[in-house]
């Protein structure tokens, strides 16, 4: 043991109050009296701190959620120590053995490091040490990873991104056993492993490191974390502010088609500036926000511990803590994240990165008791100072429910690039997307929406075309259908003009624009409105979409009114798909089902849709009734004479069965200039396969009609099956809350203040 | 109140010990001193008994599961009494308003009757009385139900079956308020409602009443129950033994295509004799057994109370109680029934008829403590003497787990018409069907199978094509696709010869035959075997199918070996489909996916299958890897050069989207006489969309090979990816457990006793 030796004093001693001897040192001091000289720079001091370890040990056995997590981690690591580890020569893509093993290794090291600190058992330190030395032996011999698919190839993994993951975790492990190692051992590790490792993901790959992207966030943080442990200020500076004096070609793109670095921004702080809006929304969407939050927050925690003068958690008005709140609000009733842009279904706030995000936000963000209810559901905490704070909070009965309300989260560094709105009414959650493009993971789906009930998708967003880490499916990486299908406009619940995607499906164009908010009003829980506009997706065509959730006391559930208004200088074909999930039960219209499904189109995603059946409407309302999760859903839409209804299915031109074969209804208007698509979606009743009772299986809507549509106003009249007649009117040009409007529509006087009204009429 | 008046004494007083005054009478005796004259014939005496009511009241508040059920029922009925009821003129099919309302009414009356007895509150008696009088007013005016689809049309409902349901429940309600009514009131009800009602479903519809079928069971019981309440012995005789002196045309068929009555058997006891095997298996399958058990058991309970000398529960060696046990064993880990013949998915032992079945079986069948664990899961009991017994059993801590093991349940009145076998190994449950046809609800799927894991279907049986009580889908009745698809052989996991169904899909032929058991052996839980033969499905062709569950300690889960051996006098095309559920991940073979799916055939169910992709094999093993419920499954099959693999999808020629569009792999051998289909199904690992880790995502089987196939023996060699080599050998002609076999296969000496062996070889 060489504990207490060779402590460098590069950083100021900040908090003298903590310079007492920790439990650990009391234990080890028996054999090493030198250890009594303690400073705050003594390790661990990155995520775990000396004083944190002391407090944890003092509370062990009395903090159930912490104790359970600790027991689980200890059990896991004990088994792994018993089984032995492997440090294989890198070879595979995601999902392959070497990829999975190196991924597992960093997680094991991080956990073993923590166990060493908390349990004071050297077998854990030894495990980390042995593994690190294996890496230090192998690393200098490694060429660039043999798999060529990445724009920034790593050494342990096929992309620098995964190498960065490794270093973020391993830095923590190194900090935990720092004092357990001799100076010589540390020198060995630092010169053979950590410094060249940091160099590879930074200096050697500036196209990866010097940009604003979740990739570079990981890169910056990886370098920053190891810099903090090694107390290498130069390295820390490049992590915080990027590598200086590197000129990247501004037109370079990455594998996802995103620009590498168009405007020269770089470094950790730039990554905080750019993708986060003042509301804490991360422009790529919650799936990647979840991924990015971990490095952001773990590094913030480390900086808070070692460089508190940087006040990283106060940066941009506390945007990191707001980010945690935004992310939790971007989840459905079960905690699954809404699918905005590239996202895999099922990712949720049960992910480890959210466990640490919630704990850090609680500990460093003013102990918001609502976060404790999320932590309780996660039933796990981080094994560090933050996790201890959460465990104590829960133990002390401070928990309050995390009450998710309707919310609008702005997009853009300054919050002026559109937003995402969540309308929550009854058990329904409607997600309305009118954001900016979302960097390289963005989809071409301006004004699209998705609908959830009780944490289940009803009207789905397809998400990405990728089976993450399932090696059999394209190495676990993005599939080509992500580009040809999942990103295209037609794969979303939004309007497609002339069978082309928004912005021609071009990132260069799409990334220049954003939709904009028109109205967001959730003041009255029985009548909530989200309305937004898009002028650039199709030059010459203006889109204006309004969602209204209406709770009529005659019925158990609220229903959703959807008004998509189109104004164009030219005549076009408009397609509005509805990706309902479930089994079609009945339609109100007669359709012809083809013997053999036809392919709907030949490009822009249309090549992936089968046309299974279609109908030409006579201008009547059309209805679709379907069953999902033993619930009955209904869609009722206004049509014009000659509109086409296509019952479609995903799955054409899918030679490897990569796509999920799920249905859609596409409402098509041909040769139209200005038009309004108006429809209602209802969740009406339930089916029990046990009692075999079908309750409220049909729509409660007798009719929906566009009774007025002008440049200034759009009015929709709805009659329910109880013959209640209501009219929803929206001002299309003036969203001022104080302006008064007065109209006569079909002999009904309607006057109101503000952008919209819902009025019962006779 | 007229309690105690006009008690008829047709039946002997059986138990004098119960002739004390009940609580109810103690309460009411204040106003009516005549009530002191009590006999055992005093009502209720059908399902609830006077003494049962007394015991219930004495225990109320101290029997949690009973108290909860009572509170729930009371809350439900109080709301309904408040809302008022409707007795509409009959008009609709299942799922329509009048159907649903009359169905609801009988359930409400039955419950209100019980509440009256237990809670001694006249508002409940009044509710029943008022509703009964509405029926008595309407019934004499009713024509035959206007909907014409049934072979036996009811008056309240479109079929006598539902009218019978009504009477079974309403008889109980009548019994509960019998003593509350005046003699005049009873005369009114009996002459205007109950007697003509009983006549309609019996005398007026002998084709419904005089047969062996679940329909007639309901009919017999309905008539029998009301006969017991009215103490009408003549009526009871026709319930028990059928209507005499009626000659039915033996060639008549019902709507499902089943014979009405080929052999003249009729009445309740005949219905007990015929469809139940000595093991308690009901030949139509568990879905209809569940449906039939309620009338069987409720009537048995009533007979036990009023005609104990009939010893109905001892009839046929206690077959009714065995039936409950069989039914519980025919459910998966979640309690959902396996799908054998016409069955709707999701039906389970949570159905009310199983709640009463379990309670009755407990109370009258020797208080088997394992039944209490099922009752606990149901978290509801019947509000009668049986429910009280269960509640007391649970309260007294007698509950034991209901341990479902591998089991074979014979079919046929004498148990000699094949069987259904359930192999349970690890979390897998394999259902192997080698039964008789299953009357009119039978499917043409000799030797078919289905596989479940953890209560989820992996290899599915399609079930029936029907959305029970969902009016939008064909009135909630059987859809035409039930006949054209769901009953056909190709819709099942079994062999199809020359694209024709077993027995040409003809009920007249199929109902003459049954498969037969060859081996069922579950003695060794690591090696379980179910083997059966079918000689009649295709004249000139003999089928022999063996399922083996093998637990290899190298792996977490057991795997399933499937050997389908075919011996034919002629060369044929053989198709063996595998209806796997989930997302195709990868195949080991290259296939060509058509741009547009082709229809697989033009009749016998083939017209409903799309051919999405196909491959011609080179004689290698083929593998299919798929993902379902975040678990990885694998299929590995032996092929011969030139075999065709078809990746199919259900849904062709389905003009109203009645079918579920689900996948299958069809292995096709052309121009073959004798052949063996051998394959392995594995559940290997899991995927987490939260951690995004894929664990054991691929098959553990390196190869499977048919190393010997002769008239006498079939031997399959399996090599795992740990290079363990095992051979499974089965004797094809001799299933004697004592016979010794000795063989040399590929230079391996194999000798054993009994019909099969699994041997590790080098």
């Amino acid at each position: 043991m060489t504990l207490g030796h060779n402590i460098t004093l590069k950083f100021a001693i900040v908090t003298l109050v903590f310079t007492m001897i920790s439990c650990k040192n009391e234990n080890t001091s028996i054999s090493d009296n030198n250890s009594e000289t303690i400073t705050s720079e003594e390790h661990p001091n990155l995520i775990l701190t000396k004083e944190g370890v002391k407090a944890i040990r003092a509370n062990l056995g009395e903090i159930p959620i912490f104790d359970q997590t600790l027991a689980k981690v200890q059990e896991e690591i004990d088994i792994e120590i018993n089984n032995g580890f492997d440090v294989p020569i890198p070879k595979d893509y995601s999902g392959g053995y070497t990829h999975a093993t190196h991924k597992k290794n960093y997680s094991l090291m991080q956990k073993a490091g923590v166990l060493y600190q908390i349990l004071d058992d050297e077998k854990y330190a030894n495990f980390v040490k042995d593994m690190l030395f294996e890496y230090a032996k192998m690393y200098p011999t490694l060429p660039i990873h043999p798999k060529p698919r990445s724009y920034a190839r790593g050494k342990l993994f096929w992309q620098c991104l995964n190498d960065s993951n490794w270093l973020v975790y391993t830095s923590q492990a190194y900090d935990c056993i720092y004092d357990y190692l001799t100076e010589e051992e540390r020198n060995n590790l630092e010169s053979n492993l950590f410094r060249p490792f940091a160099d590879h993901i930074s200096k050697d790959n500036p196209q990866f490191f010097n940009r604003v992207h979740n990739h570079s966030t990981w890169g910056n943080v990886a370098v920053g974390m190891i810099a903090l442990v090694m107390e290498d200020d130069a390295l820390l500076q490049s992590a915080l502010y990027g590598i200086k004096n590197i000129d990247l070609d501004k037109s370079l793109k990455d594998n996802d088609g995103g620009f590498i670095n168009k405007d020269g921004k770089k470094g950790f702080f730039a990554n905080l500036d750019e993708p986060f809006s003042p509301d804490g929304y991360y422009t790529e969407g919650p799936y990647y926000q979840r991924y990015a939050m971990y490095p952001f927050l773990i590094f913030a925690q480390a900086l808070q511990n070692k460089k508190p003068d940087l006040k990283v958690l106060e940066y941009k008005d506390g945007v990191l803590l707001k980010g945690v709140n935004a992310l939790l609000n971007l989840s459905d009733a079960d905690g699954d994240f809404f699918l905005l842009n590239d996202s895999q279904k099922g990712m949720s706030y049960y992910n480890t990165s959210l466990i640490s995000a919630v704990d850090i936000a609680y500990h460093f963000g003013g102990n918001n008791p609502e976060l404790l209810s999320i932590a309780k559901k996660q039933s796990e905490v981080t094994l560090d100072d933050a996790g201890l704070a959460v465990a104590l909070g829960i133990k002390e009965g401070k928990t309050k429910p995390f009450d998710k309300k309707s919310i609008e989260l702005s997009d853009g560094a300054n919050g002026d690039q559109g937003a995402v709105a969540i309308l929550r009414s009854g058990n329904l959650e409607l997600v309305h997307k009118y954001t900016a493009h979302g960097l390289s993971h963005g989809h071409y789906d301006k004004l699209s929406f998705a609908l959830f009930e009780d944490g289940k998708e009803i009207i789905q967003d397809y998400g990405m075309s990728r089976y993450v880490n399932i090696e059999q499916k394209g190495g676990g990486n993005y599939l080509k259908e992500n580009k040809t299908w999942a990103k295209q406009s037609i794969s979303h619940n939004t309007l497609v003009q002339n069978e082309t995607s928004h912005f021609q499906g071009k990132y260069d164009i799409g990334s220049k624009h954003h939709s904009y908010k028109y109205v967001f009003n959730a003041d009255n829980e029985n009548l909530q409105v989200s309305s937004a506009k898009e002028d650039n997706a199709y030059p010459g065509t203006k889109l204006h979409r309004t969602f209204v959730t209406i709770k009529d006391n005659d019925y158990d559930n609220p229903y959703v009114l959807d008004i998509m208004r189109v104004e164009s200088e030219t005549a076009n074909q408009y397609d509005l798909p509805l990706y309902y999930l479930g089994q079609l039960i009945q339609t109100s219209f007669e359709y012809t089902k083809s013997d053999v499904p036809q392919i709907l189109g030949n490009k822009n995603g249309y090549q992936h849709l089968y046309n299974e059946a279609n109908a030409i409407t006579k201008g009547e309302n059309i209805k679709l009734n379907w069953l999902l999760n033993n619930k009955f859903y209904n869609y009722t839409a206004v049509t014009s004479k000659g509109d086409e209804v296509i019952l479609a299915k995903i799955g054409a031109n899918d030679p490897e069965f990569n796509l999920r074969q799920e249905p859609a209804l596409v409402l098509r208007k041909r040769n139209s200039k200005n038009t309004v698509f108006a429809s209602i979606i209802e969740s009406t009743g339930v089916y029990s396969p046990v009692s075999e009772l079908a309750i409220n299986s049909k729509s409660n809507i007798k009719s929906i009609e566009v009774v007025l549509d002008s440049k200034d106003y759009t009015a929709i009249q709805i009659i329910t099956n109880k013959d209640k007649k209501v009219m929803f009117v929206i001002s299309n040009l003036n969203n001022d809350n104080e302006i008064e409007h007065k109209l006569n529509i079909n002999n009904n006087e309607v006057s109101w203040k503000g952008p919209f009204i819902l009025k019962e009429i006779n």
Side-chain angles (χ1 to χ4, degrees), chain A:
Chain A
M1 290 291 292
T2 60
L3 209 79
H5 288 298
N6 301 304
I7 294 171
T8 53
L9 281 162
K10 277 193 193 157
F11 297 115
I13 297 170
V14 179
T15 42
L16 287 167
V17 76
F18 295 124
T19 55
M20 48 201 298
I21 295 166
S22 78
C23 294
K24 176 155 189 303
N25 283 298
E26 281 168 342
N27 292 339
T28 56
S29 62
I30 298 160
S31 62
D32 181 3
N33 290 319
N34 289 336
S35 67
E36 283 175 286
T37 320
I38 302 296
T39 75
S40 73
E41 270 77 30
E42 198 170 343
H43 295 262
N45 55 22
L46 192 70
I47 301 305
L48 270 172
T49 62
K50 271 275 172 243
E51 54 275 19
V53 169
K54 192 179 171 191
I56 289 167
R57 292 188 189 175
N59 281 286
L60 279 188
E62 286 163 21
I63 34 176
I65 192 171
F66 195 104
D67 293 332
Q68 287 153 23
T69 308
L70 181 65
K72 220 175 77 183
V73 170
Q74 191 183 357
E75 191 192 343
E76 177 195 348
I77 298 302
D78 285 352
I79 290 170
E80 294 291 344
I81 289 178
N82 216 33
N83 291 345
F85 64 84
D86 186 19
V87 176
I89 302 290
K91 188 165 76 62
D92 303 326
Y93 278 126
S94 328
Y97 173 75
T98 72
H99 183 103
T101 304
H102 290 302
K103 190 168 166 172
K104 180 175 155 187
N105 283 349
Y106 66 65
S107 163
L108 296 180
M109 283 195 281
Q110 189 268 341
K111 289 171 180 165
V114 167
L115 291 179
Y116 168 60
Q117 285 297 333
I118 297 178
L119 302 173
D120 193 25
D121 182 338
E122 291 189 3
K123 80 170 175 186
Y124 299 111
N126 246 316
F127 179 72
V128 177
K129 180 179 155 185
D130 290 350
M131 197 185 282
L132 281 179
F133 276 92
E134 283 301 311
Y135 275 104
K137 203 158 70 187
M138 179 178 76
Y139 196 82
T141 72
L142 290 181
I144 301 297
H145 192 280
K147 293 288 186 199
R149 204 181 291 164
S150 174
Y151 76 104
R153 289 155 72 181
K155 287 194 159 184
L156 295 183
F157 300 90
W158 68 281
Q159 51 178 354
C160 283
L161 174 61
N162 300 114
D163 280 46
S164 302
N165 301 154
W166 188 93
L167 191 55
V168 169
Y169 285 84
T170 305
S171 300
Q172 298 172 54
Y174 182 43
D175 176 53
C176 283
I177 68 155
Y178 193 95
D179 288 348
Y180 175 79
L181 301 170
T182 64
E183 184 175 6
E184 196 182 344
E185 287 168 339
R186 288 195 296 262
N187 286 341
N188 178 351
L189 291 177
E190 294 187 8
S191 57
N192 287 309
L193 182 59
F194 295 130
R195 287 184 198 281
F197 200 107
D199 286 347
H200 180 71
I201 58 175
S202 56
K203 282 186 220 156
D204 301 349
N205 284 283
Q207 81 285 11
F208 165 78
F209 193 79
N210 268 14
R211 63 188 298 215
V212 169
H213 191 278
N214 74 65
H215 287 187
S216 49
T217 300
W218 277 97
N220 300 159
V221 168
V223 169
M225 296 280 279
I226 197 68
L228 287 176
V229 186
M230 301 193 301
E231 304 196 334
D232 180 330
D233 205 41
L235 209 52
L236 182 63
Q237 291 305 309
S238 59
L240 294 175
Y241 307 106
I243 309 166
K244 303 255 158 70
N245 307 321
I246 298 249
D247 272 334
L248 285 174
D249 178 351
K250 288 189 182 1
S251 68
L252 274 183
K253 291 190 183 177
D254 66 14
N255 299 107
D256 301 316
F259 287 112
I260 292 289
N261 197 332
K262 236 173 34 173
D263 49 18
K265 290 174 182 161
K266 56 185 190 276
F268 179 75
F269 283 111
N271 270 293
L272 254 178
D273 282 332
E274 278 302 306
F276 284 99
S277 79
D279 289 340
Y281 177 75
Y282 184 78
T283 193
E284 296 187 358
Y287 179 78
Y288 277 98
Q289 179 162 1
R290 170 270 328 170
Y291 188 61
M293 281 316 273
Y294 180 77
F296 275 118
L297 284 168
I298 201 78
F299 192 41
Q301 193 177 7
L303 288 171
Q304 203 73 12
N305 285 329
K306 296 204 68 159
K307 291 279 201 179
D309 47 321
L310 281 175
K311 296 186 175 170
V312 63
L313 287 169
E314 290 167 38
Y315 191 79
K316 201 176 165 177
D317 202 17
V319 74
L320 275 176
L321 299 173
K322 285 182 180 169
V324 178
N325 185 58
L327 202 38
L328 295 174
N329 269 292
L330 286 165
S331 71
D332 68 19
D334 294 339
D336 287 4
F337 294 125
F338 298 130
L339 298 129
L340 296 159
N341 302 320
D342 283 341
S343 345
Q344 180 163 275
K345 301 203 170 183
M347 181 54 74
S348 73
Y349 62 50
Y350 294 95
N351 183 275
T352 17
S353 67
L354 265 287
I355 292 169
S356 77
V358 166
D359 293 359
I360 293 169
Y362 178 79
H363 186 48
F364 292 100
N367 295 358
N368 173 4
E370 295 191 4
L371 292 172
L372 297 177
S373 71
I374 306 288
K376 257 181 151 171
K377 287 188 185 174
Q378 293 168 334
S379 63
E380 196 179 321
V381 290
T382 53
L383 296 175
D384 57 19
D385 309 24
L388 175 65
V390 167
L392 289 170
I394 290 174
K395 186 192 167 194
E396 290 158 11
K398 293 181 179 163
T399 309
K400 286 193 181 160
F402 191 94
D403 192 13
K404 286 190 266 189
K405 296 202 169 69
S406 294
I407 191 171
E408 186 186 44
L409 296 164
S410 65
D411 194 7
N414 302 313
D416 54 5
Q417 302 191 3
V420 55
I422 321 289
L423 296 183
R424 293 185 159 102
S425 182
N427 293 325
L428 298 178
E429 297 179 296
L430 183 138
V431 185
H432 186 193
K433 185 193 185 202
Y434 42 99
T435 60
H437 188 69
L439 304 181
S440 63
H441 290 296
H443 286 196
Y444 298 91
D445 64 332
K446 294 299 166 196
L447 310 189
S448 74
F449 85 108
L451 184 67
F452 294 73
E453 182 172 25
D454 286 328
K456 305 278 175 277
E457 284 180 289
I458 312 307
I459 309 296
Q460 75 159 329
D461 185 282
Y462 188 87
M464 63 190 181
S465 181
R466 179 179 178 184
Y467 297 79
V468 181
N469 290 327
I470 299 183
E471 202 258 341
Q472 301 96 297
K473 280 289 192 203
N477 298 312
Y478 280 100
L479 299 167
K480 63 180 185 309
E481 288 78 11
N482 198 56
K483 195 172 175 189
T484 61
W485 165 251
K487 286 192 166 191
Q488 299 294 332
S489 303
I490 192 61
S491 83
H492 299 84
N493 299 298
T494 190
L495 188 123
V496 183
Q497 176 176 303
N498 300 329
E499 302 185 25
T500 58
S501 283
H502 300 172
F503 310 109
Q504 304 167 51
K506 288 186 180 158
Y507 179 72
D508 310 22
I509 306 175
S511 58
K512 280 192 198 119
H513 300 288
H514 59 84
S515 306
Y516 59 95
K517 163 187 177 164
Y518 184 66
V519 174
F520 179 82
N521 188 322
D523 298 344
N524 172 359
E525 68 174 338
N526 294 327
L527 175 68
Q528 302 184 43
V529 178
S530 168
S531 182
K533 298 188 175 189
E534 170 59 45
D535 293 346
N536 301 297
Y538 298 111
T541 299
K542 291 181 176 185
L543 307 177
H544 178 190
R545 192 172 206 172
T546 303
F547 289 100
V548 191
T549 59
I550 299 170
K551 176 69 183 77
D552 178 336
N553 285 331
D554 287 343
Y555 306 107
D556 291 339
N557 301 328
Y559 61 88
V560 175
L561 169 64
D562 171 9
I563 309 168
M564 171 65 104
R565 188 167 187 277
V566 191
E567 228 180 71
S568 183
E569 295 161 8
T570 52
N572 302 293
Q573 174 185 302
Y574 301 120
D575 287 344
L576 188 61
L578 182 83
Y579 285 90
Y580 69 96
L581 285 171
Q583 170 71 44
L584 188 156
I585 295 293
Q586 198 179 38
T587 65
S588 66
F589 53 93
E590 284 192 21
Y591 52 77
T592 311
K593 191 159 180 271
S594 319
D595 278 356
V596 154
Q598 303 305 306
I599 298 175
L600 195 57
N602 53 26
K603 58 184 176 197
N604 304 327
Y606 280 77
Q607 74 276 22
H608 292 297
L609 281 174
Y610 284 121
N611 176 346
E612 292 196 310
N614 51 14
I616 303 295
T617 72
K618 301 187 187 81
E620 76 284 22
N621 279 183
I622 55 163
K623 279 178 174 287
L624 176 75
N625 173 259
W626 75 98
L627 187 63
L628 172 68
N629 303 323
N630 288 318
K631 290 190 179 162
F632 291 100
Y633 295 95
N634 299 279
Y635 165 77
T636 307
V638 174
T639 70
S640 305
K641 191 169 185 316
D643 285 355
E644 188 176 353
V645 187
I646 299 158
L647 297 175
K649 182 98 1 110
I650 303 165
N653 285 297
D654 176 26
E656 293 182 306
F657 290 93
N658 287 337
L659 299 175
R660 303 188 308 271
Q661 299 190 1
E662 291 161 340
L665 178 152
V666 181
L667 182 54
R668 172 171 286 182
K669 291 175 184 289
R670 294 181 205 268
N671 206 22
S672 295
K673 286 176 87 168
N674 301 348
T675 194
V676 175
F677 289 84
S679 62
I680 287 173
I681 299 169
E682 306 160 82
S683 166
T684 49
V686 295
Y687 184 70
S688 162
V690 175
S691 71
E692 297 190 328
L693 288 176
I695 296 167
N696 298 330
S697 67
K698 295 178 186 173
S699 168
N700 298 321
I701 300 299
K702 188 179 271 180
S703 75
I704 168 172
E705 190 183 344
V706 181
V707 286
L708 170 68
D709 186 52
S710 69
K711 237 184 166 38
D712 294 316
Y713 298 99
T714 300
I716 309 292
Q717 177 184 284
I718 299 163
I719 306 178
T720 70
N721 62 3
K722 295 201 194 279
D723 285 319
K724 185 188 280 182
K725 197 188 280 185
V726 294
M727 199 185 281
F728 178 83
V729 193
I730 186 163
S731 153
N732 290 326
L733 294 177
N734 197 319
N735 61 0
D736 189 324
N737 285 321
E738 300 308 319
I739 292 282
E740 301 199 349
H741 302 269
K742 192 170 174 182
L743 277 177
N744 186 305
I745 306 172
N746 290 356
N747 295 322
N748 289 290
E749 282 289 344
V750 194
S751 58
W752 75 96
K753 200 168 91 172
F756 62 87
I757 186 172
L758 180 77
K759 195 189 168 186
E760 190 166 343
I761 53 179
N762 300 316

